[in-house]
Amino acid sequence: MTYQPATISDDLSKLPHLPRWVTSGRLQTLETVAFRSGVALTVLDQLVSDPRYGVPVKLLANRLALSAATATSKLEGRMARGADIRDAWYLTPPGEARGPDGDLLALWRETVRLRLNGPGEIADLVGAEFADEVGVWLDAGLEEARAHGPLSGCLAILRAVLDADDRAERVACLLSDIVMARTLNWKRVLPVTAQRLTKTVLRDLTAGGQGADLPAEVRILEAIEESVRVARDLTRRAEALRAVAPKLRAKGSDAAVELFLTEDAVAPASMLSPRVRGTSIPMSPRAARRFCDRLVELGVARELTGRPTFRLYGVTP
Amino acid sequence: MTTATRKRKPADDSEAVFDQELEDLPQELRWREWMGRIEAVLFASASPVSREDLARVVGQGASVEMLIEDIQTELAGRPYELAQVAGGWMFRTKTQFADAIKAAADLGDPSLAFTEMEMRVLCAIAYHQPIDRAGLKDIFGKDVSRDLLARLRYKDLIASGPRSPRPGAPHTFVTTETFLVTFDLQSLRDLPELTSDTAACSGDTSE
C-alpha cells in the first residue's frame, strides 16, 4: 500500500510574522534595537498567547529548552553539542545519574514547567547559593523592565547575577527569561535569553561601560527573532501532524500524537511503550516503533539521531 | 508535668506535628533553636545537606543562609567549619588539622587512597563524562578493568549515567557529588583547565 505523504503547508500568512521593514534595517543603534525588539516581542507574544493561532507552546518551550541548554553549555565552557545533551537526558534510565549535560537540560526543562507565581520554586531551581538574592534581583529586574522595557530588565538581571558570581551564566539567563515572561505576562517561561549570548558579550556586560549594552541587546533581539521563526515553523509542522492524526488507527495513537505535539523528541522504546507517557494507554514496543515509522512515512515526523538504534523521533526540523 | 504530657501526645501521630515555626518562642530564642536544628541536622549527616532539606526544619520565612552565616560566625575559632559543597552544606575539619588527625587516629587502609591508574581513570571520567568502557578504552588504548571501575563506584566517586547508544546499551559513567566533595569542588567547572601539562592526566585523546 502506498501512502500519500502529507504536504507541510508553506502558507504561514495567517500567523503573525516579523514584517520585512522591521528586519531589513541593519544599522544597529540602541534606538533601532529598542524599536525592533518591541515589534519582535509583540509578534512572539501574539503567537504564544493567542490559542487561535494553534502554536504548540509546550513543544516550542521544550525545543527552546534544548537550545538554551546547548547555549549555556557553551557559555560555561563545556561545549556539549545539542545531540549529546539530548542523548544524556533521554538515555538515562529512571533513578540513575544524568551527568552534567543531562542535568543542564533537566534544569531548562524544569524552567519551562515553572509556575511563575511560586517564588519558592524559583529559589529551589537556582540552588542554595542564590536562593536568598533571587527575590531582590527579580524585583529590580521587573522594575527596570517597567521603566525601560523588557530588554533593559533582562540586561539588569543578567548584570546583577553575574556581578554576584561571574560563573552563574545559567542562573543569569534563566532569571532573565523569567523577567521577560513576567513582563509580557506569559503563563510559562520561554528560554530565549541564552540562545545567542557569548562569553565576550557577558564579560563586557559585567565590566560595566555603556557600550556593553548594545551588543547584549542585539544578541537577545536575535534570539527573540529566532524564537518567532521557530514558533511559526513548529506551528506549521504541528498542523501537518494534526491533519494526518485521523488517519492513524493504531491503538493509543491519539495520546501518542499528543505527546509528539508537546515533546521535541520522543523515544519510542521508553516514552510510548509500555505505556504512552502521561497516560495509562498501553502500547507494545513493536507498535510504538511502527507508529513512529508511520509518522516518518507520512512526512510529519523525522528521526532525529541518524542511528539505527536508540532512535528519537520528533516533528522538529 | 505538663510538658511531659504535651510531649507524649504528639509522639502518637509522629512527625506530622513537627513544629517548624515555633511561634510560642520569643524571636531571639526561636532563632537560636533554628540555628541549633540546622547545626544538629548537619552534624548528624555524613553527606552535604541541601538548602531545601534544611528549610524543612526552620520556619517558612526564615533564611537558611542567614542562619548558617550566624552558625559560621560562632564556629570562627573552631578546628572544624561549615562548608558549602556540591549544592549543600556539611561539617568539615579544617585542612590544617589533617596531620593531627592522621597522627592520632589509625585510619586503617584509607578508603580514598588511589592507585595511579585509578586516579587516571577517575580523571578521564571527570573530563569526558558521560563515557562508557569503550570510550575509556579509546583514551587509554587498553581495556579498563571492571574491578577498577567497581572500586571507584564502591567509593561512591562514580555512578551509572545515561546509556550509551551502542549495541548492548552499556551504561556510561559520571562523577558523583561525593567526587566533588572529596576534591573540594563546587562544580565540575572547578576542574583545572586542560592544558598540555594536565592533558596527560586524562590520557590525552589525540583528536
Side-chain angles (χ1 to χ4, degrees):
Chain A
M1 208 195 311
T2 54
Y3 304 104
Q4 179 75 42
T7 45
I8 295 182
S9 101
D10 283 325
D11 177 25
L12 289 165
S13 53
K14 27 186 207 5
L15 290 177
H17 66 286
L18 293 169
R20 177 93 19 103
W21 54 266
V22 171
T23 51
S24 61
R26 282 289 145 228
L27 180 67
Q28 282 162 345
T29 64
L30 280 173
E31 287 81 14
T32 57
V33 170
F35 174 71
R36 284 171 60 197
S37 71
V39 179
L41 276 172
T42 306
V43 173
L44 185 58
D45 180 45
Q46 285 176 341
L47 283 168
V48 299
S49 305
D50 192 338
R52 274 183 312 168
Y53 297 122
V55 178
V57 184
K58 282 186 188 166
L59 176 63
L60 172 67
N62 283 331
R63 179 68 191 80
L64 292 180
L66 179 62
S67 309
T70 316
T72 35
S73 180
K74 205 167 168 191
L75 286 175
E76 294 178 357
R78 211 183 129 75
M79 307 286 192
R81 294 177 309 147
D84 293 335
I85 294 176
R86 188 170 55 200
D87 277 348
W89 195 85
Y90 281 94
L91 300 179
T92 306
E96 305 275 274
R98 278 185 293 247
D101 300 335
D103 282 343
L104 184 55
L105 182 52
L107 174 82
W108 282 108
R109 288 181 60 98
E110 278 169 44
T111 306
V112 305
R113 271 160 195 68
L114 203 63
R115 281 193 306 263
L116 276 174
N117 38 15
E121 277 185 38
I122 298 174
D124 288 347
L125 204 57
V126 300
E129 218 181 316
F130 306 107
D132 260 12
E133 288 105 322
V134 166
V136 181
W137 288 337
L138 280 177
D139 288 345
L142 288 168
E143 188 55 43
E144 177 71 22
R146 265 191 296 275
H148 301 285
L151 281 198
S152 301
C154 293
L155 252 52
I157 202 162
L158 282 175
R159 215 177 238 139
V161 179
L162 293 171
D163 273 344
D165 179 354
D166 61 356
R167 297 204 304 179
E169 293 93 344
R170 59 174 79 175
V171 174
C173 293
L174 188 161
L175 291 177
S176 161
D177 288 333
I178 292 177
V179 167
M180 188 184 288
R182 281 224 184 129
T183 308
L184 289 154
N185 219 358
W186 288 341
K187 282 203 259 340
R188 74 179 68 235
V189 181
L190 293 180
V192 172
T193 307
Q195 321 272 0
R196 296 290 172 98
L197 288 176
T198 62
K199 279 185 182 184
T200 324
V201 168
L202 289 184
R203 204 183 315 121
D204 292 349
L205 199 60
T206 44
Q210 282 304 305
D213 281 16
L214 184 60
E217 289 196 2
V218 169
R219 295 296 172 147
I220 300 179
L221 168 62
E222 284 173 6
I224 298 168
E225 291 179 349
E226 176 66 20
S227 305
V228 169
R229 276 189 286 275
V230 175
R232 285 162 54 83
D233 184 54
L234 289 181
T235 308
R236 156 175 96 88
R237 287 167 194 278
E239 229 161 64
L241 175 56
R242 288 192 197 107
V244 303
K247 286 196 217 168
L248 304 164
R249 296 213 188 77
K251 253 188 213 159
S253 61
D254 287 351
V257 164
E258 199 45 48
L259 197 63
F260 271 88
L261 289 174
T262 53
E263 289 291 342
D264 56 320
V266 174
S270 60
M271 293 166 73
L272 290 177
S273 76
R275 289 177 201 293
V276 180
R277 182 165 289 180
T279 69
S280 56
I281 298 162
M283 205 182 240
S284 71
R286 190 177 145 78
R289 271 201 311 277
R290 281 173 54 94
F291 178 83
C292 292
D293 287 342
R294 183 78 204 283
L295 290 186
V296 174
E297 223 164 57
L298 289 167
V300 293
R302 205 170 64 81
E303 203 285 312
L304 304 170
T305 64
R307 289 190 292 249
T309 50
F310 304 96
R311 295 181 136 186
L312 296 170
Y313 295 84
V315 298
T316 46
Chain B
M1 245 175 115
T2 50
T3 47
T5 49
R6 255 225 325 260
K7 256 186 189 158
R8 197 167 310 133
K9 244 190 217 161
D12 295 337
D13 37 1
S14 68
E15 61 206 316
V17 289
F18 176 73
D19 181 11
Q20 266 182 274
E21 302 295 336
L22 300 170
E23 262 157 8
D24 45 342
L25 290 180
Q27 196 171 356
E28 182 84 358
L29 281 178
R30 196 187 304 156
W31 193 259
R32 296 245 36 117
E33 176 70 19
W34 283 339
M35 279 169 66
R37 283 179 178 182
I38 287 189
E39 207 173 328
V41 170
L42 292 172
F43 186 81
S45 168
S47 54
V49 183
S50 70
R51 181 185 176 279
E52 297 91 85
D53 288 343
L54 293 178
R56 251 178 257 143
V57 298
V58 300
Q60 287 287 318
S63 156
V64 174
E65 282 76 15
M66 283 171 75
L67 284 161
I68 286 194
E69 262 171 40
D70 284 0
I71 300 171
Q72 279 168 335
T73 318
E74 287 197 349
L75 293 180
R78 312 300 307 162
Y80 47 88
E81 60 192 352
L82 246 186
Q84 187 173 25
V85 272
W89 282 278
M90 73 182 299
F91 272 115
R92 219 169 40 179
T93 49
K94 290 183 181 162
T95 39
Q96 71 204 78
F97 296 101
D99 292 339
I101 297 172
K102 271 185 213 146
D106 177 17
L107 295 175
D109 180 27
S111 66
L112 285 173
F114 297 105
T115 67
E116 194 188 327
M117 188 59 188
E118 280 173 349
M119 203 59 200
R120 284 180 174 217
V121 171
L122 187 58
C123 239
I125 293 173
Y127 280 101
H128 297 284
Q129 63 183 308
I131 185 169
D132 62 2
R133 268 186 88 225
L136 288 171
K137 186 180 176 180
D138 289 344
I139 290 179
F140 291 99
K142 60 178 183 190
D143 273 317
V144 172
S145 89
R146 288 177 199 277
D147 283 350
L148 186 150
L149 290 165
R151 281 201 298 278
L152 291 178
R153 190 198 287 265
Y154 180 73
K155 289 172 185 170
D156 193 25
L157 295 166
I158 60 170
S160 302
R163 297 286 172 164
S164 180
R166 312 189 194 212
H171 56 70
T172 58
F173 298 98
V174 295
T175 53
T176 60
E177 203 170 280
T178 312
F179 168 80
L180 294 179
V181 175
T182 308
F183 292 93
D184 196 18
L185 307 170
Q186 279 287 337
S187 78
L188 290 172
R189 280 183 89 181
D190 294 330
L191 287 171
E193 292 271 335
L194 276 186
T195 61
S196 49
D197 309 341
T198 48
C201 133
S202 76
D204 194 16
T205 49
S206 47
E207 25 175 344

